[in-house]
Amino acid sequence: MVERVCRRLVLALLSLVAAGCDASAASWQGQVGCGLDTAYMSSFGFIDRDANVIEAPDSLLEPLMGHLRRLRRGAASTGDRLSVLHIGDSHIQADMMTGPMRTMMQSLFGNAGRGLVSPLKLARTNEPPDYSITSSVRWQSADCIKRHPSFEPGMTGMAITTPESSFDLTIRVFDKEGRTDGRFNTVRAYHSPSSTPLCVDGCGNVAGADTVTSWCSVIELGRLTDTLTLTPKGGGGVGEYWGFSLENGRGGVIYHSIGINGACFAHFSRISDNMERTSDLAPELVLISLGTNEASTSAFNEEFFYSQIESMVAPLRRVHPKAVFVLTTPAQNFRRTRRGLSPNDNIVRARDVIAGYARDKGLALWDMYKVCGADSAAVEWYKAGLMARDRIHYTEEGYRLQAMLLFEALMNAYDRSLVAERERVVASVGMESVVRRRGELLSEALGVRLTPLELPFVTFDAKVRRRPPLSRLSERLASRERGGADDDAVIDGNACTGGRKSLLYRVLMRAGKVHAGGDVAGLEHEDKAVKGEAVKSVIIRKTRHKEASDDRERVSDVAY
């Protein structure tokens, strides 16, 4: 009876792992608070999920992936922070794509704050829905789209100024279900070097502003808030203000976005001196999503477009030499001609130039053009209600789907890095052939195909951790390896889960099959003795073998 119950437990667990998640997503899927839905993505037959990868050598992505692994292991609780900067046009300004992307990354790796916000409504343009910046006075604006702006746009691609010497700026963040907490206790204000720093209540007895650089002032509040009113230091002043980074003092991911309606690569290159001031954001990942507007003109020229990309990207790379740069290609769209809306044939030409530049310069690439459906994407996305009537912009659902696809591509790279890291650990203790062979035997014995993440490591603990139940598993597998008649041997639940830090045990916990106390859920037991044995089979005692402690820590370091 005990054997039958344990066998049911093991088979239920492994079938959950094999069928419940895509193999490439086994380490993170189901843990993202915003609800990334691979079944939903797969329901659109025109999406090419097989092509949904970040095209780059793993060696290029490894520093970024290594930092993400550290955050997943708990580094976020120590205040460790990873900064992302996403630059683009109207697709980015509205935050409908970057907002869900921010939520997914912060749900998985920790929330370090809302990040960069710009006073877009004061500049009389659209602002993302999760914050507002208001004022009691009227402001003038400038942006990088204008060839001869009345004053210089800042690092956010825009700036505001007012002739009033006394003014205020009120920043609010809005809570919404499915979005991570946007409250902040630190504000980094970005402004022209000649501007008066901003502070709270004129810097009376509440909070002042420390000038970090000539263009950045920091306001420390000492408590989390969703609303803050800033005034010029000393009660009056003049200046040009670019934006604010809202931070909460915790570790995790902070996802900054800079988007300007109608922007091209050339527009940001015009303000390259101010774009260099993004150095204060210290991004480790820089995503650039441009090219739609360049491709909308009938005078599109590949060589000129290539030079425009270089004029913007090269200065940014000099400022952020250690960052991973990912260029994204625009998806197929329509453009307005004398005959009305027609498919934009320039998009594929722009896509080829962006992809060629990324490969020439050794940058990473996310080919959204191909992932979204190549030259039929605009028609299919519009028919599915994912694209707006202009066939250029997307509906809120369409942008959310794009965010899911980008996040999945990033996490596919993350999973590859996780597998590679674990393989390095296995190799470092000189037992990779043993572990792989025993993983294959376990898979064969249970009749369930293990995912690439599980195959080498479900039996790894049996050797390295040297826990008694796992040692029994190791002995049984060794017997099978020698040709012993052990086909019907029962593999205990605790031997298969491998302890509370193992991959399979964590999947079982998420599925509600095992509770925190070790109880087995969802199984019918005919008597208390059987239940007691089953419960006991998933409780793993800590090892008392001191000689294994070093290897055990190394395994824990690469567990997610």
Short mmCIF file of all heavy atoms in Angstrom, two decimals, residues 175-206:
data_model
loop_
_atom_site.label_atom_id
_atom_site.label_comp_id
_atom_site.label_asym_id
_atom_site.label_seq_id
_atom_site.Cartn_x
_atom_site.Cartn_y
_atom_site.Cartn_z
N ASP A 175 -2.44 52.72 -7.75
CA ASP A 175 -2.47 51.28 -7.54
C ASP A 175 -3.45 50.65 -8.52
O ASP A 175 -4.48 51.23 -8.83
CB ASP A 175 -2.89 50.97 -6.10
CG ASP A 175 -2.77 49.51 -5.77
OD1 ASP A 175 -1.98 48.83 -6.44
OD2 ASP A 175 -3.48 49.04 -4.85
N LYS A 176 -3.14 49.46 -9.01
CA LYS A 176 -4.02 48.75 -9.90
C LYS A 176 -3.75 47.26 -9.74
O LYS A 176 -2.60 46.84 -9.59
CB LYS A 176 -3.78 49.16 -11.36
CG LYS A 176 -4.72 48.49 -12.36
CD LYS A 176 -4.43 48.95 -13.78
CE LYS A 176 -5.35 48.26 -14.77
NZ LYS A 176 -5.06 48.66 -16.17
N GLU A 177 -4.82 46.48 -9.75
CA GLU A 177 -4.68 45.03 -9.60
C GLU A 177 -3.79 44.47 -10.71
O GLU A 177 -3.93 44.81 -11.88
CB GLU A 177 -6.05 44.37 -9.66
CG GLU A 177 -6.01 42.88 -9.39
CD GLU A 177 -7.39 42.26 -9.40
OE1 GLU A 177 -8.38 43.02 -9.53
OE2 GLU A 177 -7.47 41.03 -9.29
N GLY A 178 -2.86 43.60 -10.34
CA GLY A 178 -1.95 43.00 -11.31
C GLY A 178 -0.69 43.79 -11.53
O GLY A 178 0.17 43.37 -12.29
N ARG A 179 -0.55 44.94 -10.86
CA ARG A 179 0.65 45.76 -11.01
C ARG A 179 1.40 45.77 -9.69
O ARG A 179 0.80 45.79 -8.62
CB ARG A 179 0.25 47.18 -11.42
CG ARG A 179 1.42 48.12 -11.66
CD ARG A 179 0.91 49.54 -11.86
NE ARG A 179 0.08 49.67 -13.04
CZ ARG A 179 -0.95 50.50 -13.14
NH1 ARG A 179 -1.29 51.25 -12.11
NH2 ARG A 179 -1.64 50.59 -14.26
N THR A 180 2.72 45.77 -9.73
CA THR A 180 3.50 45.79 -8.51
C THR A 180 3.39 47.14 -7.82
O THR A 180 3.05 48.15 -8.43
CB THR A 180 4.98 45.48 -8.80
OG1 THR A 180 5.43 46.31 -9.87
CG2 THR A 180 5.16 44.02 -9.20
N ASP A 181 3.68 47.16 -6.53
CA ASP A 181 3.54 48.35 -5.70
C ASP A 181 4.45 49.47 -6.23
O ASP A 181 5.65 49.30 -6.37
CB ASP A 181 3.93 47.98 -4.26
CG ASP A 181 3.73 49.12 -3.28
OD1 ASP A 181 3.20 50.18 -3.68
OD2 ASP A 181 4.10 48.96 -2.10
N GLY A 182 3.85 50.64 -6.52
CA GLY A 182 4.62 51.76 -7.07
C GLY A 182 5.00 52.80 -6.06
O GLY A 182 5.58 53.84 -6.43
N ARG A 183 4.70 52.59 -4.79
CA ARG A 183 5.04 53.59 -3.77
C ARG A 183 6.55 53.78 -3.68
O ARG A 183 7.33 52.88 -3.97
CB ARG A 183 4.48 53.18 -2.42
CG ARG A 183 2.96 53.21 -2.32
CD ARG A 183 2.49 52.74 -0.95
NE ARG A 183 2.94 51.39 -0.69
CZ ARG A 183 3.00 50.86 0.54
NH1 ARG A 183 2.66 51.57 1.60
NH2 ARG A 183 3.41 49.61 0.69
N PHE A 184 6.96 54.95 -3.23
CA PHE A 184 8.38 55.30 -3.25
C PHE A 184 8.75 56.05 -1.98
O PHE A 184 7.92 56.67 -1.32
CB PHE A 184 8.70 56.17 -4.48
CG PHE A 184 7.80 57.38 -4.62
CD1 PHE A 184 8.17 58.61 -4.08
CD2 PHE A 184 6.58 57.30 -5.28
CE1 PHE A 184 7.35 59.72 -4.21
CE2 PHE A 184 5.75 58.40 -5.41
CZ PHE A 184 6.13 59.62 -4.87
N ASN A 185 10.03 55.98 -1.62
CA ASN A 185 10.56 56.77 -0.49
C ASN A 185 11.79 57.58 -0.89
O ASN A 185 12.37 58.27 -0.06
CB ASN A 185 10.88 55.88 0.72
CG ASN A 185 11.85 54.76 0.39
OD1 ASN A 185 12.59 54.83 -0.61
ND2 ASN A 185 11.85 53.71 1.19
N THR A 186 12.17 57.47 -2.16
CA THR A 186 13.29 58.24 -2.70
C THR A 186 12.92 58.73 -4.10
O THR A 186 12.36 57.98 -4.90
CB THR A 186 14.57 57.38 -2.79
OG1 THR A 186 14.91 56.91 -1.49
CG2 THR A 186 15.73 58.20 -3.33
N VAL A 187 13.22 60.00 -4.35
CA VAL A 187 13.00 60.58 -5.68
C VAL A 187 14.32 61.14 -6.19
O VAL A 187 14.97 61.94 -5.49
CB VAL A 187 11.94 61.69 -5.64
CG1 VAL A 187 11.78 62.32 -7.02
CG2 VAL A 187 10.60 61.16 -5.14
N ARG A 188 14.70 60.72 -7.37
CA ARG A 188 15.86 61.30 -8.03
C ARG A 188 15.33 62.23 -9.12
O ARG A 188 14.72 61.77 -10.08
CB ARG A 188 16.76 60.20 -8.62
CG ARG A 188 17.26 59.21 -7.59
CD ARG A 188 18.07 58.10 -8.22
NE ARG A 188 19.40 58.55 -8.56
CZ ARG A 188 20.45 58.52 -7.72
NH1 ARG A 188 20.29 58.09 -6.47
NH2 ARG A 188 21.63 58.93 -8.12
N ALA A 189 15.54 63.53 -8.94
CA ALA A 189 15.02 64.55 -9.87
C ALA A 189 16.10 64.90 -10.88
O ALA A 189 17.24 65.24 -10.52
CB ALA A 189 14.59 65.79 -9.10
N TYR A 190 15.76 64.82 -12.17
CA TYR A 190 16.71 65.11 -13.25
C TYR A 190 16.33 66.44 -13.89
O TYR A 190 15.16 66.67 -14.23
CB TYR A 190 16.70 63.98 -14.28
CG TYR A 190 17.18 62.67 -13.69
CD1 TYR A 190 16.27 61.70 -13.28
CD2 TYR A 190 18.54 62.43 -13.50
CE1 TYR A 190 16.72 60.52 -12.71
CE2 TYR A 190 18.99 61.26 -12.93
CZ TYR A 190 18.07 60.30 -12.54
OH TYR A 190 18.51 59.13 -11.96
N HIS A 191 17.31 67.30 -14.05
CA HIS A 191 17.08 68.68 -14.49
C HIS A 191 18.31 69.23 -15.17
O HIS A 191 19.40 68.62 -15.10
CB HIS A 191 16.72 69.55 -13.28
CG HIS A 191 17.65 69.36 -12.11
ND1 HIS A 191 18.92 69.86 -12.07
CD2 HIS A 191 17.48 68.69 -10.94
CE1 HIS A 191 19.51 69.55 -10.93
NE2 HIS A 191 18.65 68.82 -10.22
N SER A 192 18.18 70.36 -15.82
CA SER A 192 19.34 71.00 -16.44
C SER A 192 20.30 71.47 -15.34
O SER A 192 19.88 71.76 -14.22
CB SER A 192 18.90 72.18 -17.30
OG SER A 192 18.37 73.21 -16.48
N PRO A 193 21.60 71.56 -15.64
CA PRO A 193 22.56 71.99 -14.61
C PRO A 193 22.27 73.37 -14.03
O PRO A 193 22.67 73.65 -12.90
CB PRO A 193 23.90 71.98 -15.37
CG PRO A 193 23.70 70.97 -16.46
CD PRO A 193 22.26 71.11 -16.87
N SER A 194 21.58 74.23 -14.76
CA SER A 194 21.29 75.58 -14.27
C SER A 194 20.01 75.66 -13.44
O SER A 194 19.64 76.73 -12.96
CB SER A 194 21.18 76.55 -15.45
OG SER A 194 20.12 76.16 -16.32
N SER A 195 19.33 74.54 -13.26
CA SER A 195 18.03 74.55 -12.59
C SER A 195 18.16 74.59 -11.07
O SER A 195 19.14 74.10 -10.50
CB SER A 195 17.23 73.31 -12.98
OG SER A 195 16.96 73.29 -14.35
N THR A 196 17.14 75.15 -10.44
CA THR A 196 17.05 75.14 -8.98
C THR A 196 16.62 73.74 -8.53
O THR A 196 15.62 73.21 -9.04
CB THR A 196 16.02 76.16 -8.49
OG1 THR A 196 16.37 77.44 -8.98
CG2 THR A 196 15.95 76.17 -6.97
N PRO A 197 17.35 73.10 -7.61
CA PRO A 197 16.93 71.77 -7.13
C PRO A 197 15.54 71.82 -6.50
O PRO A 197 15.12 72.84 -5.95
CB PRO A 197 18.00 71.43 -6.09
CG PRO A 197 19.18 72.27 -6.45
CD PRO A 197 18.61 73.54 -7.01
N LEU A 198 14.83 70.71 -6.58
CA LEU A 198 13.51 70.60 -6.00
C LEU A 198 13.59 69.90 -4.65
O LEU A 198 14.48 69.08 -4.41
CB LEU A 198 12.58 69.80 -6.93
CG LEU A 198 12.37 70.40 -8.33
CD1 LEU A 198 11.59 69.42 -9.19
CD2 LEU A 198 11.66 71.73 -8.24
N CYS A 199 12.65 70.21 -3.78
CA CYS A 199 12.60 69.57 -2.47
C CYS A 199 11.18 69.61 -1.93
O CYS A 199 10.27 70.09 -2.60
CB CYS A 199 13.58 70.22 -1.50
SG CYS A 199 13.28 71.98 -1.27
N VAL A 200 10.99 69.10 -0.73
CA VAL A 200 9.67 69.04 -0.11
C VAL A 200 9.46 70.26 0.77
O VAL A 200 10.30 70.59 1.60
CB VAL A 200 9.51 67.75 0.72
CG1 VAL A 200 8.13 67.68 1.35
CG2 VAL A 200 9.77 66.53 -0.15
N ASP A 201 8.33 70.94 0.60
CA ASP A 201 7.96 72.09 1.43
C ASP A 201 9.05 73.14 1.50
O ASP A 201 9.34 73.68 2.57
CB ASP A 201 7.61 71.63 2.85
CG ASP A 201 6.30 70.83 2.88
OD1 ASP A 201 5.56 70.91 1.89
OD2 ASP A 201 6.05 70.15 3.88
N GLY A 202 9.67 73.40 0.37
CA GLY A 202 10.71 74.41 0.34
C GLY A 202 11.92 74.05 1.17
O GLY A 202 12.73 74.90 1.54
N CYS A 203 12.05 72.77 1.51
CA CYS A 203 13.16 72.26 2.33
C CYS A 203 13.11 72.84 3.74
O CYS A 203 14.15 73.16 4.32
CB CYS A 203 14.52 72.53 1.69
SG CYS A 203 14.66 71.85 0.04
N GLY A 204 11.90 72.96 4.28
CA GLY A 204 11.77 73.45 5.65
C GLY A 204 12.35 72.47 6.64
O GLY A 204 13.55 72.31 6.74
N ASN A 205 11.47 71.76 7.34
CA ASN A 205 11.96 70.78 8.31
C ASN A 205 11.59 69.35 7.90
O ASN A 205 11.60 68.44 8.71
CB ASN A 205 11.35 71.07 9.69
CG ASN A 205 11.82 72.40 10.24
OD1 ASN A 205 12.98 72.75 10.10
ND2 ASN A 205 10.89 73.15 10.84
N VAL A 206 11.23 69.17 6.62
CA VAL A 206 10.75 67.86 6.21
C VAL A 206 11.83 67.08 5.47
O VAL A 206 12.34 66.09 5.95
CB VAL A 206 9.48 67.99 5.34
CG1 VAL A 206 8.96 66.62 4.95
CG2 VAL A 206 8.41 68.77 6.08
#
